[in-house]
Amino acid sequence: MTASAENILKELSRQRPEWGPWLAVVQEVLAETADAKWDALVPVRAAAADSKAPLLAGSSIGLDASAVRGYVERLIGAACRGGTEKMATLEPALRGSLDVVALFKASLCQNVARLGEIAATFGADPEAFQAVVSFVPVPFLYACNRAWAPSISPSWLEGYCPVCGAWPAFAEVRGIERSRQFRCGRCAGQWPINCLTCPYCGMTDHKELVSLVPEKDGTTRVIDACKRCFGYVKAFTVLQGCPPEGVILDDLASVDLDVAALQQGYKRPEGPGYSIDVTLVDKPSASGKFFSWRK
């Protein structure tokens, strides 16, 4: 984790001490994204039959289950140590026989129903469980973005991430030319959007698009919302894009905009923008055999 990210975490902790338990989880995630072992798990990209498919779609991923288990246990452990009642319900998952392969795939594919089933087996609070384990594939996805960012087509026009298929966490309006880029909260990827467009339904009619402007921030932090599908995206005016580790932090620091959007009746859709279909394949054991899962 960079010094800049550490400073932002410290400042958030100072400003919002009640966020301490959650910031401990985020710190664990950001530290893990810098581990080079995830770069070795980046798959060879599958040949896309659909021009709208993200780069990860259809891939076969060689998963080192033991390495993933260690990270999952540290992540859940950090959450449990936070001392909140809901986070404490995750503790049985550390003592039980947690299927990290099933967990990794469900979280990677944003399969909310499957994550709910896994949470139920341990009696964990479903919202707390899903919030924490949504970070399980993030270090892997960061590695994919590092490897594949140069391969993103400049003609990509979809509202979801060209790397992993997730909806954008926010948009950046950059520099004096005010170029607009979406940022992915899962892999930290970025992709351009040519005009003010709803990423969820594709609406471009300015009469159906609104901007909600908080009084204290002027126009540097706004909520772009769609009156047709009632989706929204946070938008920040910046000189340049934030570094990858800053995406999670900027998204977290702007949670007040999420609250404001919900109060106005807008929301983000659940699940991914594009359902990726991946195969998890165990890395070779000492015997040289492979095992695959299609959970």
Side-chain angles (χ1 to χ4, degrees):
M1 183 168 56
T2 65
S4 175
E6 289 181 352
N7 290 335
I8 295 173
L9 277 170
K10 289 179 181 178
E11 181 62 19
L12 286 174
S13 182
R14 185 189 67 79
Q15 294 178 356
R16 304 296 294 267
E18 70 276 15
W19 285 6
W22 188 244
L23 293 176
V25 173
V26 171
Q27 184 173 18
E28 189 70 49
V29 176
L30 292 178
E32 190 70 20
T33 60
D35 194 321
K37 71 171 179 283
W38 298 99
D39 294 308
L41 301 184
V42 175
V44 176
R45 298 204 319 271
D50 182 357
S51 61
K52 296 184 178 182
L55 297 175
L56 188 60
S59 294
S60 179
I61 302 168
L63 191 68
D64 184 344
S66 61
V68 173
R69 181 176 296 278
Y71 168 53
V72 170
E73 290 177 348
R74 291 194 300 274
L75 193 62
I76 294 178
C80 293
R81 291 191 297 271
T84 67
E85 184 177 349
K86 287 188 175 182
M87 291 292 196
T89 67
L90 276 61
E91 198 274 337
L94 291 176
R95 293 185 282 104
S97 54
L98 182 61
D99 186 343
V100 295
V101 173
L103 179 64
F104 185 92
K105 181 165 185 178
S107 185
L108 179 64
C109 298
Q110 297 183 263
N111 188 335
V112 175
R114 182 70 179 109
L115 290 174
E117 293 172 358
I118 298 173
T121 64
F122 298 103
D125 179 89
E127 290 186 356
F129 183 81
Q130 292 183 32
V132 172
V133 302
S134 67
F135 286 124
V136 166
V138 165
F140 165 74
L141 291 171
Y142 266 54
C144 288
N145 181 58
R146 286 194 293 267
W148 295 344
S151 302
I152 296 174
S153 171
S155 61
W156 183 266
L157 297 176
E158 305 306 318
Y160 48 82
C161 176
V163 172
C164 69
W167 293 119
F170 54 82
E172 292 175 331
V173 184
R174 299 176 179 174
I176 57 174
E177 70 279 5
R178 297 184 63 81
S179 63
R180 188 177 176 85
Q181 297 270 333
F182 282 140
R183 298 301 299 266
C184 177
R186 286 168 63 80
C187 73
Q190 57 184 318
W191 67 102
I193 189 73
N194 292 330
C195 61
L196 190 58
T197 304
C198 174
Y200 313 119
C201 70
M203 172 58 66
T204 57
D205 186 348
H206 71 278
K207 295 179 182 179
E208 296 295 323
L209 300 173
V210 296
S211 287
L212 310 178
V213 183
E215 291 183 0
K216 66 176 182 179
D217 295 319
T219 59
T220 60
R221 297 168 73 248
V222 303
I223 302 164
D224 290 332
C226 176
K227 294 192 291 184
R228 182 170 75 173
C229 71
F230 294 97
Y232 76 93
V233 177
K234 298 177 290 189
F236 312 137
T237 299
V238 295
L239 290 177
Q240 59 186 8
C242 70
E245 66 271 14
V247 175
I248 291 175
L249 296 174
D250 283 358
D251 189 28
L252 178 61
S254 58
V255 70
D256 58 308
L257 296 183
D258 296 293
V259 173
L262 291 171
Q263 290 174 341
Q264 295 298 316
Y266 298 100
K267 62 181 182 179
R268 289 167 50 86
E270 284 191 349
Y274 188 103
S275 296
I276 57 176
D277 181 22
V278 298
T279 302
L280 301 187
V281 180
D282 195 12
K283 296 189 74 174
S285 65
S287 63
K289 295 180 179 179
F290 287 83
F291 300 90
S292 63
W293 297 271
R294 297 285 295 180
K295 297 184 179 181

